[in-house]
Amino acid sequence: MKLKKILSETLPHIDKINERFGSIINETYACPCGKGVVEYEEDRIPGLRGKRITCNCSECSDLFTFGRGTAELK
C-alpha cells in the first residue's frame, strides 16, 4: 500500500575535505494506522550511499515491512 507523505526535503551535502558532494533525502510518511510516522532517509553521497527506514509505531512495525513510501504485510 502507498503511504501518505507528510514531509519531503532534499539537503545538499558538501564535504570539501574529502571531495564528496551529493545530497541527503529525508521523507516522512503517516504510518498505516495513522498513529505514528515512517521516516525514510537516503544519502546520495559518492562512497557513502545508504538508506534507513524507521517506523515509530510499534503496532505497525509488527505488522508491516516498509519501503520508500510503501508498506506491505509481513
Side-chain angles (χ1 to χ4, degrees):
M1 79 175 61
K2 284 190 90 168
L3 300 175
K4 179 182 175 185
K5 189 182 291 186
I6 299 171
L7 176 69
S8 178
E9 64 182 355
T10 302
L11 305 170
H13 175 83
I14 300 171
D15 180 355
K16 293 182 181 179
I17 294 171
N18 296 311
E19 296 183 7
R20 292 183 178 153
F21 304 90
S23 60
I24 299 172
I25 298 168
N26 292 307
E27 296 174 346
T28 304
Y29 299 89
C31 73
C33 74
K35 297 176 187 172
V37 296
V38 177
E39 296 177 327
Y40 172 83
E41 180 181 87
E42 178 183 354
D43 69 55
R44 293 190 171 172
I45 303 164
L48 299 176
R49 295 182 184 159
K51 296 178 189 175
R52 179 180 62 86
I53 301 172
T54 57
C55 178
N56 71 353
C57 175
S58 60
E59 183 179 320
C60 289
S61 292
D62 293 339
L63 295 174
F64 296 96
T65 300
F66 297 97
R68 184 177 183 180
T70 62
E72 294 182 20
L73 285 171
K74 288 186 178 180

